[in-house]
Every structure is written in structure tokens, then in C-alpha cells.
Amino acid sequence: MNSIKYDFTSKEVSLIINSLNSLRNYMSMQERATNVIDEMILKISNNKIEFDIYESKILINSLNNFRYKLKSTNESCSEVNDLLLKIINYTSKDNNK
């Protein structure tokens, strides 16, 4: 399976870690496995920002959930929106290769 290499700013990395952590906590409350999310957080923490397509979809899902969470509390979600578009672009470019 091909990996997708991402180039994120430190602010984007922070948003990603927050969204993945939020998804991890949600899944933990449901007593669901969080292994993949834990591995993704470790990859990002070690600046190895390279995910396969499955992990990229998890990333998109977690950011989308984080976006809805921000929206529900009337917080700005423009940075998350921009990051989502960036990741979707990376993912679609890689799928078209």
C-alpha cells in the first residue's frame, strides 16, 4: 500500500493531534480499539508525517469531527477547514497517480 507524505506547519500538526486525541477519547469511552490512532499520534509526534490511505481517511474523519465540535461551540473552524481541504487535496493527488 502506498504512503502519502504530508507537509504540515506546526499549527496544523497541533490541530491534527488535537483532533486525533479527541477521536481517541471518544473511541475509548465506547471501549473500542484505539491502536491505529495511537500509532498515528506517535508518527506525527516524531515528525514522520507519512500515512497510508486508510490512515489518511481516519485523519480526515477526526478533523471533520473536530470541526463539528468547534462549530457547535461557536468557535472558528476556518483553520480546520483549510487543513481538511489540504489533506483531501494531498489524498486525491496521490490516488490519481
Side-chain angles (χ1 to χ4, degrees):
M1 188 173 282
N2 292 341
S3 292
I4 303 168
K5 294 180 183 177
Y6 294 99
D7 182 28
F8 297 123
T9 66
S10 57
K11 178 67 176 169
E12 290 171 334
V13 168
S14 178
L15 285 171
I16 290 168
I17 290 174
N18 285 338
S19 70
L20 287 171
N21 197 39
S22 181
L23 180 61
R24 184 191 180 287
N25 291 340
Y26 176 75
M27 291 177 67
S28 221
M29 285 189 303
Q30 295 181 339
E31 297 182 3
R32 294 170 57 192
T34 61
N35 303 1
V36 173
I37 296 169
D38 294 336
E39 288 175 19
M40 290 175 69
I41 291 171
L42 282 173
K43 280 183 184 180
I44 291 173
S45 298
N46 294 327
N47 293 325
K48 294 179 182 173
I49 307 174
E50 190 172 327
F51 297 125
D52 62 29
I53 192 69
Y54 175 73
E55 292 170 326
S56 295
K57 289 179 180 181
I58 290 173
L59 184 58
I60 291 168
N61 184 29
S62 72
L63 283 166
N64 196 39
N65 288 336
F66 190 62
R67 179 181 169 274
Y68 283 125
K69 189 177 186 179
L70 291 173
K71 244 181 148 175
S72 70
T73 59
N74 292 325
E75 294 180 55
S76 173
C77 56
S78 61
E79 291 176 336
V80 177
N81 291 340
D82 293 341
L83 182 55
L84 267 168
L85 290 173
K86 182 178 182 176
I87 293 169
I88 291 168
N89 268 348
Y90 268 106
T91 306
S92 63
K93 283 180 188 175
D94 193 70
N95 281 341
N96 291 334
K97 288 183 180 178

